[in-house]
Amino acid sequence: MSTILVTGGTGTLGVLVVDRLRSAGHEVRALSRHAPDHQVDLADGSGLDEATAGAEVIVHCASNTRRGGKDDEAAARHLIDAARRAGTVTNIVYISIVGVDVVPLGYYRTKLRVERLLEESGLGLTILRTTQFHDLVAQLVDTAAKLPLVPVPSGVRVQPIAVGEVADRLVELAVPTPSGRVPDMGGPEVHTLPDLARTYLTATGRHRRVLPFPLAGKAYAGFKRGGNLTPSHAVGRLTFADFAAERGR
């Protein structure tokens, strides 16, 4: 079994990846600033050399959406440098997002730059792009539902996927042999964001009116064109309606 490092090991996705890898018998080092065993700050690289020593695989789940994700580039550079110094890392598995190359959103552009940093590093690499998680859609609606009317961008379609299914796929890819850019992974269904909001509100017992509204800008246009979708890779199984029903129980 491999020694596997998981960045963002206490986050929504990372904690599931860690649990699944450990259940499969791997030695797993879960990294985050708050991890009990390996407290690492990717922003400045502190603690990385100790954490990467002897590791064969790194699953890079850590991300910081603040400031458009700009801190992610520095984090990737520190991770690459530590992996080179370790000399044992043969595969970095990176979780990215469908549409980072066509939707000009600041955070997406950062994710694309991180992909390119990893590709240019000369290290073994596996990149998996997925659509948005069910949890992200739920978070967006929960935030909007604090208002009397629930404002949701109109004209945007989403193909949400279960975070647990993404974790399963990352575990499959977390092997010493890199796979390069693997096929995208999308949820089972495509729906408009207002329709998903209505589904989630009903399932969670909130009878509220959804107010679709237009936005402006190139990023919004990219979403309206469907740059965030991958209908030809609708491999997810859990629908958003089923996810919402579970949340509402």
Side-chain angles (χ1 to χ4, degrees), residues 234-249:
V235 297
R237 298 179 301 278
L238 184 72
T239 66
F240 185 79
D242 288 338
F243 163 85
E246 290 179 3
R247 281 286 182 93
R249 289 185 185 135

Side-chain angles (χ1 to χ4, degrees), residues 131-160:
T131 52
Q132 290 81 12
F133 298 160
H134 292 319
D135 306 66
L136 179 62
V137 177
Q139 182 182 16
L140 186 153
V141 177
D142 283 334
T143 300
K146 295 176 181 178
L147 300 173
L149 297 176
V150 183
V152 178
S154 60
V156 174
R157 292 166 295 151
V158 187
Q159 188 182 351

Side-chain angles (χ1 to χ4, degrees), residues 21-100:
L21 286 170
R22 285 178 174 161
S23 295
H26 296 286
E27 178 189 337
V28 182
R29 300 171 186 170
L31 268 64
S32 81
R33 282 176 292 181
H34 310 293
D37 299 323
H38 296 281
Q39 293 186 5
V40 172
D41 190 344
L42 287 173
D44 61 13
S46 59
L48 263 178
D49 283 341
E50 179 183 355
T52 55
E56 296 174 79
V57 179
I58 296 174
V59 183
H60 188 22
C61 297
S63 187
N64 187 346
T65 58
R66 297 173 185 172
R67 301 195 311 123
K70 291 182 180 179
D71 292 342
D72 286 4
E73 291 181 71
R77 290 189 177 94
H78 290 309
L79 193 62
I80 288 167
D81 290 343
R84 285 173 174 156
R85 289 192 294 267
T88 54
V89 177
T90 59
N91 186 16
I92 298 178
V93 183
Y94 181 55
I95 177 70
S96 190
I97 307 171
V98 169
V100 293

Side-chain angles (χ1 to χ4, degrees), residues 105 132 136-145 147 149-158 191-198 201 209-217 219-225 228:
L105 184 70
Q132 290 81 12
L136 179 62
V137 177
Q139 182 182 16
L140 186 153
V141 177
D142 283 334
T143 300
L147 300 173
L149 297 176
V150 183
V152 178
S154 60
V156 174
R157 292 166 295 151
V158 187
H191 294 283
T192 67
L193 197 50
D195 282 346
L196 291 175
R198 294 184 186 100
L201 290 168
R209 181 184 171 190
V210 173
L211 181 65
F213 68 96
L215 293 172
Y220 177 58
F223 282 115
K224 287 188 69 176
R225 287 193 300 268
N228 58 313

Side-chain angles (χ1 to χ4, degrees), residues 109-124:
R109 285 173 166 167
T110 298
K111 296 288 281 188
L112 182 60
R113 287 194 291 270
V114 171
E115 284 188 11
R116 289 173 176 166
L117 282 172
L118 292 166
E119 288 168 344
E120 294 165 1
S121 71
L123 298 167

